[in-house]
Amino acid sequence: MKRKAVLFLALWVFSGAAAVRADQKEVEYYAILVDGQKIGHVVLTRSIADGVVTTSEDMSMTLVRGGMSLPVQTVETAVETVDGRPLGFQVEQKISGMGQKITGKLVNGEVEVAIEAMGAMQKKSMAWPEGAVMAEGLRLLQLKKGLKKGTTYGATVFSPSLLAGMEASVAVGGVEEVDLFGRVLKLTKVQVTMQMPTGGITSTHYVNDALRAMKTNVPMMGMNMELVACDEQFAQSDNGVVDFLAKLLVESPSELKDLREKKWAQYTLAPVGNAKLTIPSDDNQTIKVLPDGRVVVEVSPVAAPEKVAFPYAGKDAKVLEAMRPSQYLESDNAKVVELARAAVGESKDAAEAVRKIESFVLGYIRTKDLSVGYASAAEVAASRQGDCTEHAVLAAAMCRAVGIPARVVFGVVYAEELVGRKNVFGGHAWTEAYIGDKWIGLDATRAPGGYGVGHIILAKGNGDPADFFSMANTLGYFKIEKVVLK
């Protein structure tokens, strides 16, 4: 699920420019492949009626993590005028039976957003990113710019799934012969770079004369994801099995013993291929980039200062942001607030409060497996089910609910054994809470005191799917050459 927005953005850029008369509908089919294995399909529909263009992308795929299948279905719809002016959007998604619906309507430059999940409704307003376009606006821009070799241009692409505008740069290349399941076509190569917090993600599109992308390559976390135009029968044929969890494991150069007793660790990370690693610094880890591109990461967990009162009463804007409810950290949700108060009890000390929350979440989530794709804190509070991401978002939201700033962290953690492999680092999520003037690590999947030197931070934020893209150019693109423990 974390990758679906990249797939949608890839389709929206060069998703087809065939003319459609009023009251007609155009339908296109794509197969989704990972490392050559089909995992799903997309049906793209574009129609015009009463001066309104509706573009809909219906994606269905099966993700496998640790041998457990996660069916994912998302329908994303953009509504625009015939001249490409955005009017509204809708996103409906179901992951392993859990559903969410996002609806947006543009009114005088503002977007009125409604998010519905687990019977609860969030409403908020946000400014429309200046100059941002959606599917039809992109199509018209593509027609204007054309496919002349050497043409370059930029655009701000709004993603309804991420509720954000993404800066894109387009570069038109030459004509190449491209194999589409045995059918060879001459297509124009177009590269599109989407700017993410830690750098750009470049997708390669092979486009026909009608500006329809017949094949798109999207490198993501060391894997090659492809969207290939096909017929309806192949698009909806059975999917293969690709275990994403196993593919993203990073080998440890040695067995790491007694990590809970260690206070400091140093990791030397070497990029794979031509990757350029961008890894964040933090109160709990420091970064040194070597001249040859390797990165030395020193992890030294900060101890929580005692006798710090809460709620937070400071004025730091970034810290205050980590106090507010967000799409996936609904700290104003009644059930989340109830759980937070029950966990904290009469505690007045922030360090004591977050440790209580950490332990509470570990016990509260009863069904611990990989069957949930990605749920928000309110959904976890209702279902009591999930893996590390569900523990992380619930713990962060509960901290915020009692006035302790918190955020969700994504990275890798050492495991003695995971999906049948020993001494590896696997993708993981945990929580950081702001106490005193430091961010303190919490890991509710391993409480008490579960956070330690075996955790390497790759990204952090509000727990939104967009935060995962900070790992897109990192996880899967490095190996760990050396580990030093103290």
Side-chain angles (χ1 to χ4, degrees), residues 182-371:
R183 181 170 57 119
V184 178
L185 299 179
K186 290 186 176 181
L187 303 170
T188 301
K189 180 180 179 180
V190 181
Q191 291 191 305
V192 181
T193 301
M194 292 287 183
Q195 290 302 320
M196 304 296 173
T198 56
I201 295 179
T202 299
S203 56
T204 302
H205 308 253
Y206 295 94
V207 182
N208 64 15
D209 291 340
L211 278 80
R212 179 189 177 191
M214 304 300 291
K215 184 176 184 178
T216 296
N217 295 330
V218 187
M220 178 65 66
M221 297 183 180
M223 297 175 285
N224 184 36
M225 306 187 76
E226 295 179 299
L227 300 164
V228 183
C230 61
D231 60 24
E232 180 179 6
Q233 181 177 358
F234 182 76
Q236 298 185 354
S237 63
D238 292 340
N239 295 326
V241 176
V242 177
D243 197 315
F244 286 84
L245 181 60
K247 277 184 168 290
L248 294 175
L249 295 180
V250 182
E251 299 284 346
S252 174
S254 61
E255 181 181 2
L256 307 183
K257 297 181 179 180
D258 303 320
L259 284 184
R260 289 202 179 213
E261 299 176 8
K262 307 300 182 182
K263 303 298 182 183
W264 177 89
Q266 183 186 78
Y267 302 94
T268 301
L269 277 52
V272 175
N274 298 320
K276 183 178 180 180
L277 301 180
T278 304
I279 298 175
S281 293
D282 184 270
D283 288 331
N284 298 289
Q285 76 177 30
T286 58
I287 306 300
K288 181 180 180 181
V289 181
L290 302 180
D292 61 3
R294 291 183 300 163
V295 177
V296 177
V297 182
E298 292 189 359
V299 180
S300 181
V302 176
E306 297 180 356
K307 298 181 180 180
V308 175
F310 65 96
Y312 172 75
K315 297 182 179 180
D316 187 300
K318 290 184 178 180
V319 176
L320 289 171
E321 177 64 27
M323 288 264 286
R324 301 186 182 101
S326 67
Q327 182 179 350
Y328 280 80
L329 303 182
E330 307 101 322
S331 53
D332 57 349
N333 174 268
K335 184 64 175 179
V336 172
V337 172
E338 175 189 333
L339 296 179
R341 289 174 177 169
V344 170
E346 299 299 321
S347 295
K348 304 298 182 182
D349 180 83
E352 181 183 54
V354 299
R355 294 304 178 196
K356 285 186 173 182
I357 288 173
E358 182 185 45
S359 295
F360 181 92
V361 171
L362 175 65
Y364 182 78
I365 296 179
R366 294 179 299 191
T367 304
K368 301 177 186 292
D369 57 28
L370 298 170
S371 64

Side-chain angles (χ1 to χ4, degrees), residues 10-27:
L11 274 177
W12 270 14
V13 181
F14 297 102
S15 58
V20 181
R21 295 193 304 270
D23 301 319
Q24 286 195 342
K25 181 183 293 186
E26 177 187 29
V27 182

Side-chain angles (χ1 to χ4, degrees), residues 19-319:
V20 181
R21 295 193 304 270
D23 301 319
Q24 286 195 342
K25 181 183 293 186
E26 177 187 29
V27 182
E28 299 167 355
Y29 296 90
Y30 293 85
I32 305 172
L33 297 93
V34 172
D35 291 345
Q37 184 76 262
K38 179 178 177 291
I39 65 166
H41 70 273
V42 175
V43 181
L44 190 150
T45 305
R46 176 174 173 268
S47 60
I48 303 175
D50 300 323
V52 173
V53 181
T54 301
T55 306
S56 181
E57 295 165 356
D58 186 343
M59 181 191 71
S60 178
M61 64 181 179
T62 303
L63 304 181
V64 178
R65 296 190 300 167
M68 184 166 290
S69 295
L70 299 174
V72 179
Q73 183 174 19
T74 303
V75 181
E76 185 165 303
T77 302
V79 182
E80 302 160 86
T81 63
V82 290
D83 60 356
R85 181 170 57 86
L87 298 174
F89 54 83
Q90 181 171 287
V91 183
E92 293 185 85
Q93 69 177 24
K94 290 184 179 180
I95 304 174
S96 296
M98 301 185 80
Q100 183 185 70
K101 181 178 179 180
I102 303 173
T103 303
K105 182 179 180 181
L106 275 74
V107 179
N108 298 324
E110 292 286 317
V111 188
E112 298 177 354
V113 179
I115 304 170
E116 184 177 0
M118 300 292 290
M121 177 76 75
Q122 294 183 62
K123 292 187 177 181
K124 65 178 183 178
S125 295
M126 56 177 285
W128 182 258
E130 184 177 357
V133 295
M134 294 195 294
E136 185 65 11
L138 272 176
R139 190 187 78 86
L140 296 174
L141 180 61
Q142 294 156 15
L143 286 172
K144 180 179 179 181
K145 298 295 183 179
L147 292 176
K148 182 179 179 181
K149 185 177 180 180
T151 298
T152 60
Y153 56 95
T156 301
V157 184
F158 184 80
S159 167
S161 292
L162 302 180
L163 294 177
M166 315 293 286
E167 295 302 320
S169 58
V170 181
V172 180
V175 175
E176 298 183 9
E177 290 188 343
V178 180
D179 189 311
L180 303 177
F181 302 125
R183 181 170 57 119
V184 178
L185 299 179
K186 290 186 176 181
L187 303 170
T188 301
K189 180 180 179 180
V190 181
Q191 291 191 305
V192 181
T193 301
M194 292 287 183
Q195 290 302 320
M196 304 296 173
T198 56
I201 295 179
T202 299
S203 56
T204 302
H205 308 253
Y206 295 94
V207 182
N208 64 15
D209 291 340
L211 278 80
R212 179 189 177 191
M214 304 300 291
K215 184 176 184 178
T216 296
N217 295 330
V218 187
M220 178 65 66
M221 297 183 180
M223 297 175 285
N224 184 36
M225 306 187 76
E226 295 179 299
L227 300 164
V228 183
C230 61
D231 60 24
E232 180 179 6
Q233 181 177 358
F234 182 76
Q236 298 185 354
S237 63
D238 292 340
N239 295 326
V241 176
V242 177
D243 197 315
F244 286 84
L245 181 60
K247 277 184 168 290
L248 294 175
L249 295 180
V250 182
E251 299 284 346
S252 174
S254 61
E255 181 181 2
L256 307 183
K257 297 181 179 180
D258 303 320
L259 284 184
R260 289 202 179 213
E261 299 176 8
K262 307 300 182 182
K263 303 298 182 183
W264 177 89
Q266 183 186 78
Y267 302 94
T268 301
L269 277 52
V272 175
N274 298 320
K276 183 178 180 180
L277 301 180
T278 304
I279 298 175
S281 293
D282 184 270
D283 288 331
N284 298 289
Q285 76 177 30
T286 58
I287 306 300
K288 181 180 180 181
V289 181
L290 302 180
D292 61 3
R294 291 183 300 163
V295 177
V296 177
V297 182
E298 292 189 359
V299 180
S300 181
V302 176
E306 297 180 356
K307 298 181 180 180
V308 175
F310 65 96
Y312 172 75
K315 297 182 179 180
D316 187 300
K318 290 184 178 180
V319 176

